[in-house]
Amino acid sequence: MIPVLALLAFLGLILFINRRQLGVSTMADYATANHSIGVLGITFGFLATWYVGAGYTVFSGFAVSFGMIGMYVVPYGIITLLVMYLVAEKTFIWGKKYQLRTQSELLGLRYRSDFIRVLTGFAGVALSVPWLLMEWYTIGYVFNYATDGFISPLLGMIIGIFVVVFYVAMGGMRSVVTANIVQGLYMMIVGSAVLIYVLYSELGGLTAAMDRLFHESPEAMIFPGPGWDVSPNYWTAIIITSGLGGFMWPWVYNKLFAADSLRTIKQSVLFAPVLGILSFALLIILSMALHPLPFAQENPEEALFWAHSQAGVWPLALFAVLVMAASLGTVSGILNAMSTAISGDIAQVIHRKISEKTALLIARWSVVAMSVGALVGAYLKEGQLVFLALMTYQGMIVLAPVVLLGLYWQRANKFGAVIGFLTGMAVSFGLTLSEPQFLVTYGWTPGVYGFLTTLMIMIVAGYLRPVESHVEKLWSDIDHARGQ
């Protein structure tokens, strides 16, 4: 009873805190909060969106099953920090000057191409769907586990959907960030505390847990882990794929447009990944430590819930809220970004006469439609959802050259971006679906091949055509902003 009351209290708190943020009246306020969010909101907006609830089930289960390989999140997080740093300044400067709202709108401006804007907007929505499904599944699973089966996963998802749809549709980015601050603070303070408590109360502390792991399951301390035979290149491949693709998600990237200043961006770029790396490292360490336990080996994705239930009803209640906070943070960011893309990057580009009022209605109803659709889709088996979610990284990394070269190389042009992106996606998903033997032999994931394909095509196209005339103006905007 206590865990479900804790969950309901947390959801009620989110709605109560957001009560003043509801009722946005413009698309700019809905999408970017009129560029008014300070360092606390941007930092925890990044953290709460990036720190998915499935990390406590699916990805912790990965570390429970295979051990040390789960620590790939640390170097992956460092690469993501670097990517954030590289894209932040120019994204913010152009975003503020040209009142941009989305990553796709930024690319449309940089390459002067509505086709690129629609293409990347559609791709961002499509590639985000599996993550939305997986997070809805996680929310339903949390309610089901916390009530010992009394609340079904379906009812749990409906409760979560009602809360998130209400504050995202009515409050937009301002409500999302307000909720993210609460979720992020809870994850960092209470969440970290309960993970540490379980590590010491159930496993005897870090030293004892690692000693047990070393003596009982030494294979879990080395790559690739027990019962798995894969090329060493696979470790590097998943780090590169996740690191370069991790900040390309529109629901993470779009937070850059909501910041109130360049100083806010620079501070958040430092704080968010560092806090995320520390939190994820603690999660993975606890998951690895559970590997020798029979229940954990047989039920890796339930291992953390089981460990907290063994520690008592209050640790379970606090952990259930932790997973709920992480899931809601991700879901709210995804819904805001997807609905903004559907309205601004697709509907308003295809039909230029759509008014701001109509665009806002499209965004709000998109939230409702996507949530209901995800409710149906989340009834798929979890293993299928995980496969789809992990597969999306193989597509998202293909966007990295389009963004990074667009921001740093004046010769990057729309022909190279379009052809490179489409060809890279075809290579990446073609290899993912066909699974040729050389993927296993060499260990490089399909996304790496797709990334290299896009990169090479864009470089060749850049040298085949002159620098596009509008690019010099964009670069002068950066020089002017830096000189102020």
Side-chain angles (χ1 to χ4, degrees), residues 71-258:
M71 290 300 291
Y72 84 97
V73 297
V74 175
Y76 140 42
I78 293 172
I79 295 176
T80 299
L81 184 153
L82 175 62
V83 173
M84 288 177 67
Y85 177 81
L86 290 174
V87 304
E89 182 185 38
K90 291 184 178 180
T91 297
F92 176 79
I93 291 172
W94 288 337
K96 187 112 183 210
K97 180 175 177 61
Y98 296 100
Q99 294 298 300
L100 305 178
R101 299 173 297 193
T102 68
Q103 179 191 62
S104 295
E105 194 172 6
L106 171 71
L107 296 176
L109 171 74
R110 167 58 183 86
Y111 293 105
R112 192 168 283 182
S113 169
D114 284 343
F115 182 72
I116 287 180
R117 181 177 175 184
V118 173
L119 176 65
T120 56
F122 178 79
V125 171
L127 292 172
S128 297
V129 167
W131 289 92
L132 184 60
L133 299 181
M134 191 163 64
E135 292 305 312
W136 280 141
Y137 184 96
T138 299
I139 289 172
Y141 180 81
V142 170
F143 270 107
N144 185 250
Y145 204 100
T147 60
D148 197 24
F150 180 75
I151 293 180
S152 68
L154 176 61
L155 180 57
M157 285 189 281
I158 291 173
I159 295 171
I161 285 174
F162 174 81
V163 173
V164 177
V165 166
F166 184 73
Y167 75 77
V168 173
M170 299 305 297
M173 179 66 80
R174 206 179 298 276
S175 283
V176 169
V177 170
T178 300
N180 286 170
I181 292 174
V182 178
Q183 293 152 356
L185 288 172
Y186 184 91
M187 287 188 289
M188 290 303 305
I189 299 172
V190 181
S192 297
V194 73
L195 290 176
I196 292 171
Y197 175 79
V198 169
L199 179 63
Y200 279 84
S201 66
E202 300 304 304
L203 299 171
L206 180 60
T207 301
M210 290 298 105
D211 282 345
R212 182 184 302 108
L213 183 63
F214 180 77
H215 288 101
E216 295 183 16
S217 303
E219 68 279 6
M221 302 289 283
I222 58 175
F223 178 87
W228 199 6
D229 182 20
V230 66
S231 167
N233 292 333
Y234 182 76
W235 166 263
T236 306
I238 61 174
I239 290 172
I240 292 174
T241 304
S242 301
L244 292 178
F247 199 72
M248 292 297 110
W249 295 106
W251 26 283
V252 183
Y253 198 105
N254 286 6
K255 296 292 195 305
L256 293 172
F257 299 110

Side-chain angles (χ1 to χ4, degrees), residues 31-93:
T32 66
N34 284 317
H35 312 284
S36 64
I37 307 299
V39 64
L40 185 67
I42 296 298
T43 297
F44 284 107
F46 284 143
L47 183 64
T49 305
W50 183 43
Y51 205 7
V52 298
Y56 298 97
T57 53
V58 175
F59 297 103
S60 66
F62 186 55
V64 170
S65 296
F66 301 110
M68 186 278 297
I69 193 174
M71 290 300 291
Y72 84 97
V73 297
V74 175
Y76 140 42
I78 293 172
I79 295 176
T80 299
L81 184 153
L82 175 62
V83 173
M84 288 177 67
Y85 177 81
L86 290 174
V87 304
E89 182 185 38
K90 291 184 178 180
T91 297
F92 176 79
I93 291 172

Side-chain angles (χ1 to χ4, degrees), residues 56-67 141 145 198 202-203 212-213 216-217 220 226 283-310:
Y56 298 97
T57 53
V58 175
F59 297 103
S60 66
F62 186 55
V64 170
S65 296
F66 301 110
Y141 180 81
Y145 204 100
V198 169
E202 300 304 304
L203 299 171
R212 182 184 302 108
L213 183 63
E216 295 183 16
S217 303
L283 167 65
I284 297 302
I285 287 172
L286 176 57
S287 301
M288 288 173 57
L290 294 173
H291 173 80
L293 305 182
F295 181 89
Q297 290 189 13
E298 294 173 5
N299 306 275
E301 292 170 359
E302 294 182 31
L304 285 179
F305 273 98
W306 172 78
H308 284 78
S309 68
Q310 296 301 300

